[in-house]
Amino acid sequence: MRLKRFCVLFFLLTVALSFGQEIPPIKAFTSKNYQAGNQNWSITQDTQNNLFFANNEGLLHYDGNNWTLYNSPNKTIMRSVLAIGERIYSGCYMEFGYWEKDNTGHYQYTSISKDIAGRLVEDEQFWSIQQVDDLVLFQSLDRIYIYNTRTATIETVPTPGIFKMYRQGNTFYFQDNALDFYRIDQQLAQPTQDLSDFDKDRVVALFPTGTGTLMLSQTSGFYRLTPEGYTPWPTALDTMASDLRVYAAIQLENGNFAIGTVAYGLMILDSQGNLLTQFNQRNGLSNNTILALYEDADNNLWAGLDNGIDVLNLNAPLKIYTDINGAIGSVYTAVEHEGRLYLGTNQGLFYRSTNSNEDFRRVDGTNGQVWELQRIGDALFCAHNDGTFLIDGTSAKMLSDHSGSWTFLAVNDAPDKILVGNYQGISLLTKNNNTWEFAGVLDGFGYSARFLFYDSSGDLWVNHEYKGVYRLKLNLEQRAITETTRDIALPLGKNSGMVRYKDRLVYATESGVYVKEGNSEFQRDSLLSSAYQLDNQYVTGQLDVDKQENLWLFGANQIKIYGPSSFGRSIVMKNISLSEDIRNQVIGFEEVGNTIEGDHILGTTSGYLNLDISGFVPRLNTVYIGNGYMLSEKGERRDIAAEDTDFVSGFNSLHLKLYTPNYDTYLNKEFRYRLLDFREQWSSWSEDNNVVFENLPPGSYTLEAQSRVGLNSSANTARMSFTIAKPWYASNWAVGCYVVLGLISMLVVNEVYRRRYKKQKQKIERENNRQLELERLKNEKQSIALKNANLERDMASKNQELATATMGMARKNEALQGIKKDLDKIDEKDARALLKRVKSIIEENLNDSSDWELFQKAFNNVDKDFIKTLKNKYPKLTPNDLKLCTYLRLNLSSKEIAPLLNISVRSVEISRYRLRKKMELPTGINLVDHILSI
């Protein structure tokens, strides 16, 4: 009894210590997540890394993104599953068979046991399935049925009853309820001595080793079986509670053992039997009863539980410490020092021994916010809300209660002096007689000094998140700041940060990353700035440098680490795919701690992460297009089949799911896609794996999809082509009918219009002929009238001319008669006077203007408006000039014109010359031709 009490006490202590463990990432799936029964009895994985679970409700399928339940064929609890090639074999109550994927991607069941239904034992359930070569073994508690996949025949192996079946190489054993062992030999159960005469306990599992077979019993631990017999194999299980009952166990690929219990959760033992980790409900497991265990192709451990399913990323490059009880709070800073791990949190300074699972304890007197822990020399300093502390083991000594302190900086070339960045200004610590003391506050700078660094020139730089970056010059002898200069060229920004990396100062804000080298000014660094600007990565400008001289930048979906040899030479050392959500750090206070083993500690709001950055290696991932369907405009649904992707008209809404069977739960899984010939641009990366395109027009399409896990994109681009037919009224045959009908219609319409046009043409022709006849008659009438008018005008003109000529002749005759009478009266006495009178009468008749006026009027009747036009064009012309122009227009010569004008021929030539001058005619233009052209 005393021993039992000791074991129980030891076990409870072990469980208590397990609360403080650093554990790998665990992802829990509840029945609400996968929409099936609580209990999961068996687990398997196919060649495409899909997981299958024997669930209370049936076959449960998980592809990494989507859960699908296929009800058991007879609505009973499914107890076992095994993936072999393209088939998933399963066993349940009074039924066993296999599932295969149909052309729509859904699994359909085929019964094997229906052909031997009469040979099944009443109430038989099939708890285990094993495979060797072409044979599949289905084990119930009464018999073993061997199915030959090549011949599709079934053999029955009678047994005295079975507790569990085991496999050793290609040999199968089982233990009956009397604890005797049997070997299956040629479809017969033969008692065997291979497993000696072990009868201590029911055996849960057999594990072959180089030194014999290890047997794990249900309640009494491990035994080693050799040809000489069996002996207990001491492990951590021996010291645990006496009521510990093992239900499931497997050996992992790395040689460790995973052991699932009924009430105490999951234990991981190393190959020597030492307890590595215990998982239970207190530290992340969903349930303490383990019904099934399975290690997948990526070495993740799956646990089928009495209530849910959990996956443990045992080989993840990070371990998680979670403050379950809220005893330590949010971790801001961490450091290993003198064999202890110290955590600075919002609740104080905590510690525990390095590499132990003991609880963290608070250092007395440090209750409150701790901002930073820093080792300088062999001393550990603590920046606290209440002041400055020196840490010595498990105790703290307050050096100063001046304001609160942010950070520490060793003074250049003065190992006995340390600057302290405070809430208000900068203070100084000095070391006297090997004791650190507070030496006062430096005058001249009263702002918050959270970031405090020297540049390579020895100037001190302070970053204030809201006021900017300051350059300070110090005089430590006078304890004063002698010069303060703000760098106005650097942008301000929320959560900005500064760090010294080797001999450079690096300042980061949302606007980018700026680097100061030597005596130069801060310059924007395009390489480091791109770490924030690509994909909206900026969350915080906080920077840090680890003890390996790596520069850390914290983005939204990743951490970028720049190595010493690569910084400034455009080479990124490593990308750590940890999103801000998974890191769960206090934004603006990201800090990297270092362990003795070289790992890194990141504080979180509920504990910390322990990172092995060398383990963040990209893994090959594949994206698949999963099950989908098309919806019609009437709401009808049609599943998408692999070989039939032609859809009738109306089925124009595409719905399907993408998946990537990657089970690293600490990495974000995202998808993007595009539909060629409809939307050429890729969608944005999203965790939503549903693809929906609605109201697609008829046509041929190709869907392309990609995934990325963390920062690692899928190695492939998944593609699916499909076609949506045109509606019947837009199909090819309909279009052909339309063409034929159109042609016929055109011919009919053409004939109708031809006849109508002919009739209209005839009517128009008759109308036109009538109009033409009328026009002809009208024109003839007008022509006759015009001719009559012309004749009348001509007659009038002729009459006028005749009258003029008659009058002229009369006048001339009269003049001549007068001359005759006068001549009759001539006598010698009066002869001279009478001759003078005759001469005068002749001159009057010669100069009489009435002859000209009559001539002009007659001329105008022949050449209308000539004289008027000539006057308008040449207003300087005299009447004699107009007469000359008129005679010239009649094409008379100078000789002919001279008597008409009663002047000499030479005078006519002179008059013509003067007329050219008045008309300003060039010498090359003929005067008569010009007058004729008017």
Side-chain angles (χ1 to χ4, degrees):
M1 179 64 69
R2 184 174 299 173
L3 178 60
K4 182 177 180 180
R5 288 179 179 176
F6 172 77
C7 291
V8 171
L9 180 62
F10 186 87
F11 178 72
L12 292 177
L13 179 60
T14 303
V15 171
L17 290 177
S18 71
F19 299 161
Q21 293 180 102
E22 296 175 359
I23 63 173
I26 301 175
K27 174 69 173 180
F29 300 99
T30 68
S31 58
K32 291 184 178 180
N33 296 134
Y34 53 73
Q35 294 293 300
N38 293 336
Q39 294 176 313
N40 297 276
W41 299 93
S42 180
I43 308 171
T44 190
Q45 187 176 34
D46 69 7
T47 54
Q48 289 188 344
N49 290 347
N50 292 281
L51 272 298
F52 298 87
F53 304 84
N55 184 267
N56 275 4
E57 301 294 332
L59 180 68
L60 190 59
H61 172 216
Y62 182 53
D63 60 20
N65 291 92
N66 312 293
W67 291 94
T68 306
L69 173 66
Y70 300 95
N71 291 318
S72 57
N74 55 5
K75 308 299 181 182
T76 61
I77 296 175
M78 189 169 288
R79 299 292 186 180
S80 56
V81 289
L82 180 66
I84 303 175
E86 299 297 322
R87 293 179 175 179
I88 311 299
Y89 290 86
S90 67
C92 54
Y93 175 80
M94 298 295 289
E95 178 67 47
F96 61 85
Y98 60 85
W99 304 77
E100 286 184 308
K101 188 182 292 186
D102 63 16
N103 59 2
T104 65
H106 297 89
Y107 284 87
Q108 304 297 331
Y109 182 72
T110 300
S111 176
I112 297 175
S113 60
K114 68 178 182 179
D115 296 330
I116 59 166
R119 292 156 52 185
L120 297 180
V121 178
E122 189 66 27
D123 286 340
E124 200 166 14
Q125 298 189 61
F126 296 91
W127 291 86
S128 177
I129 304 174
Q130 299 286 347
Q131 181 257 344
V132 59
D133 299 329
D134 295 328
L135 304 179
V136 181
L137 288 73
F138 297 88
Q139 174 246 314
S140 72
L141 298 181
D142 300 289
R143 293 178 179 179
I144 296 174
Y145 298 86
I146 303 177
Y147 174 68
N148 190 311
T149 59
R150 183 170 48 82
T151 64
T153 58
I154 303 173
E155 299 290 340
T156 304
V157 181
T159 71
I162 304 175
F163 166 69
K164 203 170 185 68
M165 182 171 65
Y166 322 98
R167 178 176 180 175
Q168 287 275 77
N170 288 334
T171 304
F172 291 91
Y173 301 88
F174 67 88
Q175 185 184 34
D176 65 11
N177 292 322
L179 306 185
D180 294 324
F181 283 92
Y182 294 81
R183 182 177 63 188
I184 301 173
D185 189 7
Q186 296 182 352
Q187 288 78 47
L188 294 175
Q190 304 287 349
T192 179
Q193 297 300 316
D194 293 351
L195 300 179
S196 186
D197 57 348
F198 181 81
D199 59 358
K200 297 296 183 182
D201 198 356
R202 291 182 172 181
V203 174
V204 175
L206 298 179
F207 304 110
T209 67
T211 57
T213 299
L214 290 178
M215 295 190 301
L216 175 59
S217 67
Q218 196 172 54
T219 60
S220 55
F222 276 91
Y223 293 86
R224 184 184 297 279
L225 181 64
T226 64
E228 290 75 28
Y230 64 90
T231 57
W233 187 59
T235 67
L237 297 180
D238 301 334
T239 60
M240 294 186 178
S242 60
D243 64 342
L244 184 144
R245 182 177 293 270
V246 177
Y247 190 86
I250 60 172
Q251 188 170 17
L252 303 177
E253 187 175 306
N254 61 7
N256 294 340
F257 299 96
I259 301 171
T261 70
V262 174
Y264 294 105
L266 172 66
M267 288 86 166
I268 305 297
L269 306 183
D270 65 15
S271 59
Q272 304 303 313
N274 301 307
L275 179 65
L276 297 177
T277 313
Q278 180 175 0
F279 301 93
N280 50 50
Q281 285 184 260
R282 296 296 302 274
N283 66 355
L285 210 61
S286 297
N287 188 268
N288 284 340
T289 300
I290 313 297
L291 301 179
L293 292 171
Y294 184 83
E295 184 180 20
D296 68 18
D298 295 324
N299 304 118
N300 300 303
L301 181 61
W302 292 82
L305 308 176
D306 189 64
N307 187 10
I309 299 170
D310 284 0
V311 56
L312 297 82
N313 301 134
L314 295 181
N315 294 329
L318 76 158
K319 297 292 186 290
I320 303 170
Y321 174 83
T322 303
D323 178 24
I324 299 173
N325 299 320
I328 65 173
S330 300
V331 176
Y332 284 72
T333 181
V335 66
E336 282 193 1
H337 180 67
E338 295 181 348
R340 295 181 179 86
L341 173 62
Y342 292 90
L343 301 179
T345 79
N346 64 319
Q347 298 183 27
L349 178 62
F350 295 83
Y351 71 94
R352 74 176 181 187
S353 299
T354 303
N355 295 327
S356 74
N357 290 330
E358 63 189 28
D359 288 338
F360 281 95
R361 302 174 184 175
R362 182 186 285 113
V363 175
D364 291 340
T366 62
N367 188 26
Q369 176 70 58
V370 174
W371 297 114
E372 185 176 289
L373 294 170
Q374 191 173 145
R375 287 180 299 182
I376 300 179
D378 57 356
L380 178 63
F381 294 89
C382 172
H384 195 282
N385 182 68
D386 294 338
T388 303
F389 290 86
L390 177 65
I391 308 303
D392 184 10
T394 61
S395 62
K397 175 184 177 183
M398 178 176 281
L399 299 179
S400 166
D401 61 357
H402 169 70
S403 182
S405 57
W406 290 112
T407 187
F408 304 94
L409 178 64
V411 176
N412 283 347
D413 301 325
D416 59 345
K417 292 183 175 63
I418 296 176
L419 297 175
V420 182
N422 298 112
Y423 292 178
Q424 296 176 324
I426 302 172
S427 57
L428 179 66
L429 301 178
T430 59
K431 190 175 184 180
N432 297 314
N433 298 323
N434 209 32
T435 301
W436 286 100
E437 299 175 347
F438 180 66
V441 179
L442 302 184
D443 296 330
F445 188 83
Y447 298 143
S448 174
R450 180 180 161 198
F451 300 93
L452 203 61
F453 298 99
Y454 281 112
D455 64 15
S456 58
S457 301
D459 291 336
L460 184 67
W461 291 80
V462 175
N463 173 38
H464 188 289
E465 182 178 4
Y466 302 110
K467 292 184 176 295
V469 177
Y470 294 85
R471 184 206 305 261
L472 308 180
K473 293 188 179 297
L474 310 181
N475 187 330
L476 295 182
E477 297 299 327
Q478 299 179 1
R479 297 178 186 173
I481 296 171
T482 58
E483 184 179 333
T484 302
T485 306
R486 188 170 79 86
D487 192 328
I488 60 174
L490 287 177
L492 303 180
K494 183 180 179 181
N495 296 328
S496 63
M498 179 183 283
V499 73
R500 174 165 175 163
Y501 182 75
K502 301 181 79 65
D503 58 348
R504 306 172 180 89
L505 286 182
V506 183
Y507 171 74
T509 183
E510 190 170 7
S511 301
V513 181
Y514 300 80
V515 178
K516 183 182 189 305
E517 297 189 62
N519 294 322
S520 65
E521 300 297 324
F522 278 95
Q523 299 293 329
R524 191 174 188 276
D525 188 281
S526 59
L527 170 66
L528 298 180
S529 297
S530 66
Y532 290 140
Q533 294 175 341
L534 293 177
D535 297 330
N536 298 319
Q537 285 293 308
Y538 184 83
V539 175
T540 173
Q542 180 70 11
L543 308 166
D544 206 354
V545 177
D546 61 24
K547 69 178 183 180
Q548 290 83 20
E549 292 295 312
N550 296 316
L551 176 65
W552 291 57
L553 282 76
F554 301 90
N557 294 323
Q558 61 184 306
I559 301 172
K560 283 188 177 288
I561 303 176
Y562 296 81
S565 62
S566 61
F567 176 67
R569 282 176 270 279
S570 301
I571 302 175
V572 178
M573 175 184 177
K574 184 177 284 291
N575 288 328
I576 303 297
S577 302
L578 282 179
S579 71
E580 190 272 331
D581 291 337
I582 295 174
R583 297 197 306 267
N584 195 27
Q585 293 179 276
V586 181
I587 296 177
F589 291 89
E590 293 83 355
E591 185 179 304
V592 181
N594 296 274
T595 67
I596 295 174
E597 290 82 4
D599 293 339
H600 299 80
I601 296 177
L602 301 183
T604 71
T605 57
S606 58
Y608 63 86
L609 306 178
N610 190 334
L611 305 183
D612 175 13
I613 62 174
S614 63
F616 284 88
V617 178
R619 179 179 294 174
L620 186 66
N621 297 301
T622 304
V623 62
Y624 297 93
I625 297 176
N627 300 336
Y629 58 90
M630 295 289 284
L631 279 181
S632 72
E633 296 170 349
K634 298 179 180 180
E636 300 168 310
R637 170 172 169 161
R638 176 182 161 186
D639 290 337
I640 298 175
E643 70 280 0
D644 182 15
T645 54
D646 293 333
F647 298 94
V648 298
S649 172
F651 284 85
N652 59 358
S653 292
L654 174 68
H655 298 257
L656 53 79
K657 294 179 180 294
L658 308 175
Y659 68 93
T660 291
N662 180 290
Y663 306 103
D664 292 330
T665 61
Y666 56 92
L667 299 178
N668 284 341
K669 190 184 298 182
E670 297 176 308
F671 299 88
R672 68 174 184 174
Y673 54 87
R674 63 180 178 178
L675 190 61
L676 300 180
D677 299 323
F678 181 74
R679 185 178 299 164
E680 303 290 332
Q681 186 176 3
W682 287 97
S683 64
S684 300
W685 287 108
S686 172
E687 294 182 5
D688 185 4
N689 66 317
N690 292 289
V691 177
V692 177
F693 286 99
E694 296 181 328
N695 300 320
L696 292 172
S700 297
Y701 302 95
T702 298
L703 176 70
E704 293 187 341
Q706 296 176 343
S707 70
R708 68 178 180 185
V709 181
L711 300 176
N712 186 28
S713 297
S714 56
N716 70 314
T717 297
R719 292 180 175 85
M720 183 192 77
S721 298
F722 63 95
T723 300
I724 301 175
K726 298 176 182 178
W728 66 266
Y729 52 81
S731 61
N732 292 336
W733 67 266
V735 172
C737 292
Y738 297 152
V739 172
V740 173
L741 290 175
L743 291 174
I744 295 174
S745 300
M746 289 174 62
L747 291 174
V748 171
V749 171
N750 182 65
E751 180 63 21
V752 171
Y753 272 94
R754 188 185 68 79
R755 294 183 179 182
R756 184 179 178 184
Y757 173 75
K758 185 176 180 181
K759 291 180 180 180
Q760 289 182 343
K761 181 180 179 182
Q762 293 173 349
K763 181 179 178 181
I764 291 172
E765 286 178 350
R766 289 194 299 269
E767 182 68 23
N768 287 341
N769 290 335
R770 191 176 69 84
Q771 291 292 333
L772 289 173
E773 184 64 21
L774 292 175
E775 287 293 329
R776 186 181 65 79
L777 294 174
K778 182 179 179 181
N779 290 336
E780 287 181 357
K781 185 177 180 180
Q782 290 178 348
S783 178
I784 291 172
L786 182 61
K787 289 180 178 180
N788 291 335
N790 290 335
L791 288 175
E792 290 177 358
R793 193 165 44 250
D794 289 342
M795 289 179 66
S797 176
K798 297 297 183 180
N799 291 333
Q800 181 67 33
E801 290 176 1
L802 180 59
T804 302
T806 302
M807 290 179 65
M809 290 175 64
R811 291 180 63 188
K812 293 297 181 183
N813 290 334
E814 183 180 355
L816 293 175
Q817 286 293 338
I819 294 172
K820 182 180 178 181
K821 290 179 179 181
D822 289 337
L823 290 176
D824 289 338
K825 296 176 180 182
I826 294 177
D827 55 21
E828 292 180 1
K829 182 179 180 180
D830 299 322
R832 182 174 298 273
L834 183 59
L835 289 174
K836 185 176 181 182
R837 176 173 171 79
V838 170
K839 183 178 181 181
S840 173
I841 293 171
I842 293 172
E843 286 178 354
E844 286 178 4
N845 280 277
L846 290 175
N847 294 326
D848 190 0
S849 62
S850 60
D851 289 342
W852 162 250
E853 290 174 357
L854 288 173
F855 174 82
Q856 184 178 10
K857 185 176 181 181
F859 181 85
N860 282 336
N861 288 332
V862 178
D863 199 352
K864 190 176 181 180
D865 296 332
F866 168 73
I867 296 176
K868 182 178 180 182
T869 302
L870 195 63
K871 289 180 178 179
N872 292 334
K873 192 170 184 179
Y874 303 104
K876 295 181 180 181
L877 298 181
T878 64
N880 288 333
D881 293 332
L882 293 176
K883 291 179 182 180
L884 178 60
C885 289
T886 302
Y887 294 139
L888 290 174
R889 187 171 179 83
L890 293 176
N891 205 15
L892 300 178
S893 64
S894 297
K895 186 177 180 180
E896 293 171 333
I897 294 171
L900 293 175
L901 294 179
N902 198 23
I903 58 176
S904 66
V905 174
R906 178 168 181 76
S907 296
V908 172
E909 292 297 332
I910 292 171
S911 296
R912 290 178 65 145
Y913 175 79
R914 290 173 179 170
L915 183 61
R916 289 181 63 89
K917 289 294 185 179
K918 290 180 180 180
M919 289 184 176
E920 299 178 351
L921 295 180
T923 57
I925 295 178
N926 185 271
L927 176 61
V928 175
D929 291 340
H930 176 68
I931 291 174
L932 290 174
S933 67
I934 296 174

